[in-house]
Amino acid sequence: MKMRFAEILTEPRPTPFWQVLRQMGVTEAVGVLPRHPMDWRGAVIDRPWSYAPLAVYQQMLREEGLTLSCIEDNP
């Protein structure tokens, strides 16, 4: 049996804490959608759950040595 470690990352960008997680053996991340979204009625950018923002987030985590396992959010 292999044990898998994941951490919920609430920060939108890498922080020194992410490096500490990697040093502790954490290899997977549980991502969250932004908690305080902007007013989408006037925005032309993708929503945070659209493909492009999620792909960028996944790539950013990969560059930090983490795998995005899932996305969670408050109902």
Side-chain angles (χ1 to χ4, degrees):
M1 183 169 89
K2 181 179 177 183
M3 187 176 295
R4 296 169 48 192
F5 292 99
E7 173 68 22
I8 297 174
L9 300 178
T10 58
E11 306 89 6
R13 307 251 183 285
T15 67
F17 177 63
W18 292 17
Q19 185 177 15
V20 171
L21 291 172
R22 289 290 302 128
Q23 291 171 350
M24 293 171 36
V26 174
T27 58
E28 299 186 39
V30 175
V32 296
L33 294 175
R35 296 288 186 218
H36 305 288
M38 59 186 285
D39 185 352
W40 295 113
R41 293 172 291 184
V44 293
I45 61 171
D46 289 332
R47 293 188 172 20
W49 54 85
S50 297
Y51 176 79
L54 290 175
V56 168
Y57 185 57
Q58 183 179 33
Q59 180 61 35
M60 178 181 60
L61 289 169
R62 190 176 298 126
E63 290 171 0
E64 296 295 317
L66 296 166
T67 301
L68 181 61
S69 295
C70 64
I71 298 287
E72 293 183 355
D73 197 29
N74 293 334

